[in-house]
Amino acid sequence: MHPRVENPYAHAPAAIKAMMAVESSLRAGALEHGLLELVKLRASQINGCACCIAMHATAARKSGETEMRLYLLDAWREAAVFSERERAALAWTEALTRLAETGAPDAAYSALAAAFSEAEKVQLTLQIGAINLWNRLQVGLRGRHGADPSRDAA
């Protein structure tokens, strides 16, 4: 696949800097790093973003995530290896990533509200929005995913 824009970051440096600032502020928030990586990876799977899948699978492994949980992420509803908090975050991720289809259903929000504080709900929702924007930039402009992530496998 050939990129549609060779270096999109060079054409919107202020916007990219702002997105990086959002990411930095979310990393410094209350949510666990591992949970954020699962959310980013799941949204990227839904959106078919090879660049972000490679990046977040690698980051999740480096932060201690197991291979089996990464393999099962696409089937998290049937996999017993995810906590209720993770399930609530993944359901919210899917609902917001597929917003036009789901309309952010009350059931997904109820599960979220049972597992997360108000601040955490806002931070998680912002993270889901951010990864969806990154996915749209990469998929829409046909970004390259770079190095072979299998070389980084733990």
Side-chain angles (χ1 to χ4, degrees):
M1 182 178 334
H2 299 288
R4 290 177 172 164
V5 174
E6 195 59 42
N7 183 4
Y9 305 106
H11 298 287
I16 297 301
K17 184 177 180 181
M19 284 297 298
M20 297 304 284
V22 168
E23 290 286 347
S24 179
S25 72
L26 292 170
R27 276 191 304 275
L31 296 171
E32 311 89 83
H33 177 71
L35 178 69
L36 291 176
E37 291 301 335
L38 289 176
V39 163
K40 293 180 208 182
L41 181 54
R42 184 66 193 121
S44 299
Q45 289 173 333
I46 293 167
N47 290 322
C49 183
C51 177
C52 295
I53 290 169
M55 178 187 311
H56 297 298
T58 300
R61 280 194 312 270
K62 285 182 179 178
S63 70
E65 190 56 74
T66 68
E67 291 293 317
M68 185 54 65
R69 283 172 39 99
L70 293 177
Y71 299 149
L72 292 171
L73 185 58
D74 192 38
W76 65 267
R77 282 178 169 71
E78 291 79 31
V81 297
F82 298 100
S83 70
E84 288 305 311
R85 182 172 166 89
E86 290 166 333
R87 291 174 178 283
L90 292 168
W92 193 238
T93 300
E94 290 188 2
L96 295 186
T97 299
R98 296 180 170 133
L99 189 58
E101 299 165 33
T102 70
D106 291 339
Y109 183 79
S110 293
L112 183 75
F116 291 85
S117 71
E118 293 288 309
E120 290 172 328
K121 288 185 286 188
V122 172
Q123 291 172 20
L124 182 62
T125 300
L126 285 167
Q127 183 62 80
I128 294 165
I131 190 58
N132 274 281
L133 178 54
W134 288 119
N135 290 167
R136 279 147 181 77
L137 181 68
Q138 289 299 318
V139 174
L141 299 179
R142 303 290 189 254
R144 295 183 195 158
H145 68 72
D148 180 356
S150 66
R151 294 182 195 165
D152 297 327

